[in-house]
Amino acid sequence: MSVPHKVGTVKSKQATNVKAPVAKVVKAAGKKKDEEEATDTAEGEEWMPGKTLVKPPDQLDLTEEELNEEITRVLTANNPNAPQNVVRYGFKEGCYKPIIFVDQMAIHFELEGNLVHKESDEGRRLMAKQAEREEGTGAEKLDNVAKAGEKERKLTNQFNFNERASQTLNNPPRDISCQTEPPPRANFSATANQWEIYDFYVEELKRREKSKEKQEGQVLNKEEDKSKKKIIQAETQSDDITQLAHAAKIIERMVNQNIFDEVAQDFMYFEDAADEFRGEKGTLLPLWKLQYDKAKGLSVTALCWNPKYNDLFAVGLGSYEFTQEERGMLLFYTLKNSSYPEFIFNTTSGVMCVDIHEQLSYLVAVGLHDGCVAVYNLKKKSDQPVYNSTASSGKHRGAVMQVKWQKDDLDSNHNFISVSADGRVVSWTLVKHELVFTDIIKLPATDKVPDDLKDVIATAGTSLDFHKQKDHHFLVATEAGKIHKGSKYYSSKFLETYDAHFMTVSRVRWNPFHPNVFISCGWDWMVKIWDQTIKSPIFTFELKTSVTDVAWAPYSSTIFAAITNDGKVHVFDLSINKYEALCQQKVVSKKTRLLHIEFNPVNPIIIVGDDRGHVISLKLSPNLRKKPKEKKGQELPKGPEVEIAKMEQLLSSLR
């Protein structure tokens, strides 16, 4: 820091040194002389001598240049009194080492006190406590004064006071002691090896398995054995770390909803305003993409929404290739957590179809590539199915292509129906701990097969769907391009056969509203809509590539969506346009094929699965879910009757 340093000269007023006179006249003369020479004296201080600036005789006389010269001085933070030769003993090196960094702080003044600033948080708390104490003591004083005023009695004689005292007998102290034998002692020592630790863990796992088997095997009464049940649950839960599973799952959902907050906001509130300028056309907004790392190499072979929980859906993973049917998976995803499945079940064979029970949403029927059918219970913690078909219990000889739950039979047993590549339509009933099968009907062989081989060569079934109102009527699609209409109560032959497609029929579905309408799609690029009373289709749409799946919208009888091999989603609304789709949008890359599609039963979204094991969720724009506008003062009718009438109007215009 540069400091201009001038060596200044002091100019002093000329003053004469006056000796202290004895006579008053001389003093007065000196005073007069001081006034004339303008010597500074304060009023009332006339007795003080005047200020005189004296120039030292050895003071230097500097020139103007020397006075204006700047002298630089550097200030450092080093303490000159700090020791420079401090050494410490280093235990690592085993010798004394000099300390390089020495504390340079010099403390000039230090005072420890108990004062607290009144504007600080602690000061405010202390002031508040003091105020409360003062208020409390004031109130207590007032109460004491009031009580004293009530209880105070005026003594007749203030000097009449007798002090009474008594002496009591103190019990003498007593010491009680007893002598006991010392506990036995023994010296114990052992070594913990790796195999001993392993054996201990194996025994612990066996103990846990036994306790779980006891818990499952015991049939406890509701009132008598509640205490036993609590003891068993406490023993199993105390050693099980899965107690935190529920809390961890909630935290995981919260974290994922924070990460994908924009997607969740779009799902709930976003409406594409550009639809107003597109006319009839609409778009699909991509939302979540769900994938599981361990499912690489598998394709999405089935999709099914849970009828009770609208955010939960099942995904079947397997393969349509005969060379890749070694393993499969059954996953359950929720839209609340798109990063990881809620439930994971591994299967020895590829999963080909999935269906969830409508009332008991924890029961899931699965068809496998090796011809087995299985039933999983989501309430059970086991990865194994609770019911499984075997060769002795009538399992299929080909891949099971579709399973559908049915209403309980007369004995209140759950049952479902399956169709397979071996041409059999089989009913499965859940009886105690086994599956009981009943053959309903067998698909007839094609005309190209010789008569002597028709019983050997079967026609493979590809899809199955039951009537929404008449639950005993069903449709079966085949690889030969035909669709058969049958009944559970009439198993000798089919009620009707439709020559639907030139190639394999990939999907057939009944309309959810109109009782006579169903839709089909196939590898011949066609999507066809049928009236069961007519053998020819009433609508035909060519999509220029193989159509892998089609689905009706649950909110309208005239809206359906189809997916094709080129990765496009086609959405149609027959009440708006009978000839072309309102939306044709590619949702995957070029080399990826779409395999399955499903509408959400409540929300305006669809999910599509591809051959890479990924599931993509898409939101329909407002033009793809249009409803008639309500006029002022007029309420439009709602319900299934309106949808039936809308479809009936279309059919009447074509008949």
Side-chain angles (χ1 to χ4, degrees):
M1 180 176 63
S2 60
V3 180
H5 179 72
K6 295 183 180 180
V7 181
T9 58
V10 181
K11 295 181 181 180
S12 62
K13 295 181 181 180
Q14 295 179 359
T16 306
N17 295 331
V18 182
K19 295 182 180 180
V22 179
K24 294 183 179 179
V25 179
V26 179
K27 184 177 181 181
K31 181 179 179 182
K32 185 177 182 182
K33 192 174 182 179
D34 290 337
E35 291 176 356
E36 292 176 357
E37 294 179 359
T39 303
D40 295 335
T41 57
E43 294 182 2
E45 296 180 356
E46 299 174 354
W47 54 274
M48 295 181 63
K51 295 180 181 179
T52 304
L53 301 177
V54 181
K55 178 181 179 181
D58 56 347
Q59 183 174 351
L60 294 177
D61 293 332
L62 302 177
T63 63
E64 190 68 25
E65 295 178 356
E66 292 175 343
L67 292 173
N68 294 331
E69 181 183 358
E70 293 184 357
I71 299 173
T72 304
R73 294 182 179 179
V74 180
L75 302 179
T76 62
N78 294 333
N79 183 9
N81 298 324
Q84 302 297 329
N85 55 352
V86 179
V87 294
R88 294 284 187 272
Y89 184 79
F91 291 93
K92 185 177 180 180
E93 294 82 0
C95 61
Y96 286 93
K97 295 181 64 177
I99 301 301
I100 300 174
F101 300 100
V102 181
D103 189 10
Q104 302 292 336
M105 180 179 290
I107 299 174
H108 298 284
F109 177 76
E110 182 179 6
L111 177 63
E112 295 183 359
N114 55 359
L115 297 179
V116 180
H117 199 280
K118 66 179 183 179
E119 296 296 332
S120 64
D121 295 338
E122 187 176 359
R124 289 173 182 155
R125 287 197 298 269
L126 292 174
M127 293 171 65
K129 287 183 180 179
Q130 185 177 0
E132 290 178 359
R133 289 174 184 170
E134 291 178 355
E135 291 178 0
T137 52
E140 288 178 0
K141 288 180 180 179
L142 292 175
D143 293 342
N144 293 335
V145 171
K147 291 179 181 178
E150 294 175 357
K151 296 181 179 180
E152 185 177 1
R153 294 180 181 178
K154 190 174 181 181
L155 299 176
T156 56
N157 185 0
Q158 298 181 4
F159 302 100
N160 187 8
F161 177 75
N162 295 326
E163 183 177 357
R164 297 178 181 178
S166 63
Q167 188 175 4
T168 59
L169 179 63
N170 295 327
N171 295 323
R174 296 179 181 179
D175 296 333
I176 299 176
S177 59
C178 62
Q179 187 175 1
T180 60
E181 295 182 0
R185 297 182 181 181
N187 295 328
F188 174 79
S189 62
T191 57
N193 298 322
Q194 186 175 1
W195 53 84
E196 292 180 353
I197 298 173
Y198 175 78
D199 293 341
F200 175 79
Y201 276 104
V202 170
E203 292 176 0
E204 181 68 16
L205 289 174
K206 289 181 179 178
R207 187 185 66 81
R208 292 187 184 181
E209 289 178 359
K210 287 182 180 178
S211 63
K212 289 181 180 178
E213 289 176 0
K214 287 181 181 179
Q215 183 183 5
E216 293 177 357
Q218 290 179 353
V219 180
L220 302 177
N221 295 328
K222 293 183 179 179
E223 298 179 356
E224 298 177 357
D225 297 328
K226 279 187 178 180
S227 59
K228 294 182 181 179
K229 192 173 182 180
K230 289 181 179 178
I231 293 171
I232 293 172
Q233 289 179 352
E235 289 177 357
T236 55
Q237 291 177 359
S238 61
D239 297 333
D240 200 354
I241 200 170
T242 55
Q243 293 177 358
L244 299 176
H246 183 66
K249 187 176 290 186
I250 293 174
I251 294 174
E252 184 184 13
R253 288 185 179 183
M254 294 168 61
V255 171
N256 275 281
Q257 288 185 12
N258 288 335
I259 294 173
F260 301 103
D261 181 64
E262 294 182 359
V263 180
Q265 296 292 333
D266 291 343
F267 165 66
M268 291 296 296
Y269 307 111
F270 180 77
E271 300 292 347
D272 194 355
D275 273 15
E276 298 179 1
F277 309 100
R278 294 193 182 102
E280 298 176 350
K281 301 295 181 180
T283 58
L284 298 172
L285 174 68
L287 296 175
W288 296 278
K289 185 176 182 180
L290 303 99
Q291 57 186 2
Y292 185 46
D293 294 337
K294 295 183 180 180
K296 288 184 179 179
L298 299 177
S299 302
V300 176
T301 54
L303 292 173
C304 184
W305 285 98
N306 192 300
K308 185 176 180 180
Y309 303 99
N310 299 319
D311 61 303
L312 186 69
F313 61 92
V315 181
L317 296 171
S319 177
Y320 290 109
E321 303 293 334
F322 290 100
T323 58
Q324 299 178 1
E325 47 92 16
E326 294 130 359
R327 69 184 183 97
M329 300 185 80
L330 175 62
L331 306 179
F332 284 83
Y333 284 102
T334 175
L335 300 180
K336 297 176 182 177
N337 182 8
S338 59
S339 63
Y340 198 79
E342 290 290 306
F343 301 95
I344 302 172
F345 299 96
N346 294 297
T347 59
T348 55
S349 183
V351 176
M352 302 301 294
C353 52
V354 176
D355 193 31
I356 301 175
H357 200 283
E358 189 172 357
Q359 283 79 30
L360 306 176
S361 58
Y362 54 87
L363 288 180
V364 183
V366 177
L368 303 179
H369 195 281
D370 60 358
C372 292
V373 293
V375 177
Y376 288 88
N377 190 341
L378 299 184
K379 290 185 176 181
K380 302 285 185 181
K381 296 182 180 180
S382 175
D383 296 338
Q384 301 301 319
V386 291
Y387 296 94
N388 195 4
S389 65
T390 59
S392 61
S393 62
K395 87 167 195 177
H396 291 282
R397 296 191 303 272
V400 182
M401 304 305 296
Q402 192 82 49
V403 290
K404 287 289 182 181
W405 283 102
Q406 299 296 299
K407 292 182 179 179
D408 294 351
D409 58 13
L410 298 177
D411 297 329
S412 299
N413 293 322
H414 309 313
N415 63 94
F416 62 93
I417 291 180
S418 64
V419 65
S420 170
D422 62 357
R424 294 165 59 206
V425 180
V426 182
S427 174
W428 303 89
T429 305
L430 282 62
V431 180
K432 292 185 179 180
H433 298 290
E434 62 177 351
L435 284 174
V436 178
F437 78 99
T438 303
D439 285 331
I440 296 178
I441 198 169
K442 188 174 182 180
L443 297 176
T446 59
D447 298 335
K448 297 180 181 180
V449 179
D451 294 339
D452 56 343
L453 297 177
K454 284 186 177 181
D455 295 335
V456 180
I457 300 175
T459 302
T462 56
S463 181
L464 173 72
D465 196 27
F466 279 83
H467 200 279
K468 306 306 177 189
Q469 289 80 24
K470 301 176 182 178
D471 56 356
H472 58 279
H473 283 177
F474 61 89
L475 294 171
V476 181
T478 65
E479 279 188 351
K482 296 183 182 297
I483 298 175
H484 301 284
K485 176 186 171 185
S487 173
K488 291 192 297 183
Y489 306 140
Y490 190 69
S491 59
S492 61
K493 66 176 183 178
F494 287 104
L495 303 178
E496 198 71 62
T497 300
Y498 305 91
D499 293 328
H501 296 267
F502 301 107
M503 299 177 70
T504 300
V505 182
S506 53
R507 182 69 71 180
V508 60
R509 295 182 193 253
W510 285 102
N511 189 286
F513 297 98
H514 201 284
N516 294 332
V517 177
F518 63 91
I519 192 170
S520 66
C521 64
W523 292 2
D524 58 353
W525 304 2
M526 298 293 181
V527 175
K528 297 182 179 181
I529 298 177
W530 304 77
D531 186 345
Q532 68 171 349
T533 59
I534 305 173
K535 284 200 171 185
S536 60
I538 54 177
F539 288 102
T540 303
F541 303 94
E542 184 179 349
L543 302 185
K544 299 180 181 180
T545 185
S546 297
V547 186
T548 54
D549 200 359
V550 67
W552 290 103
Y555 53 85
S556 176
S557 62
T558 58
I559 296 177
F560 66 91
I563 54 174
T564 53
N565 258 341
D566 57 357
K568 288 184 179 180
V569 179
H570 306 258
V571 183
F572 293 81
D573 190 349
L574 301 177
S575 63
I576 296 177
N577 194 329
K578 304 176 186 177
Y579 306 104
E580 61 181 10
L582 301 184
C583 174
Q584 294 182 10
Q585 185 170 329
K586 193 175 182 67
V587 296
V588 291
S589 59
K590 292 182 180 179
K591 296 182 180 180
T592 306
R593 296 186 301 118
L594 293 178
L595 298 177
H596 289 277
I597 184 171
E598 285 291 338
F599 278 86
N600 186 283
V602 176
N603 300 310
I605 62 173
I606 59 175
I607 52 175
V608 292
D610 58 25
D611 60 349
R612 297 189 178 183
H614 301 164
V615 179
I616 304 168
S617 57
L618 306 162
K619 184 176 183 180
L620 302 169
S621 67
N623 278 359
L624 302 180
R625 43 190 167 93
K626 272 187 176 178
K627 294 182 180 180
K629 295 183 179 179
E630 296 183 359
K631 297 180 181 180
K632 291 184 178 179
Q634 181 181 2
E635 291 185 2
L636 293 175
K638 298 179 182 179
E641 295 81 7
V642 178
E643 299 299 330
I644 294 172
K646 188 164 59 171
M647 177 59 77
E648 190 64 35
Q649 185 178 0
L650 278 173
L651 297 178
S652 61
S653 63
L654 296 172
R655 288 170 182 166

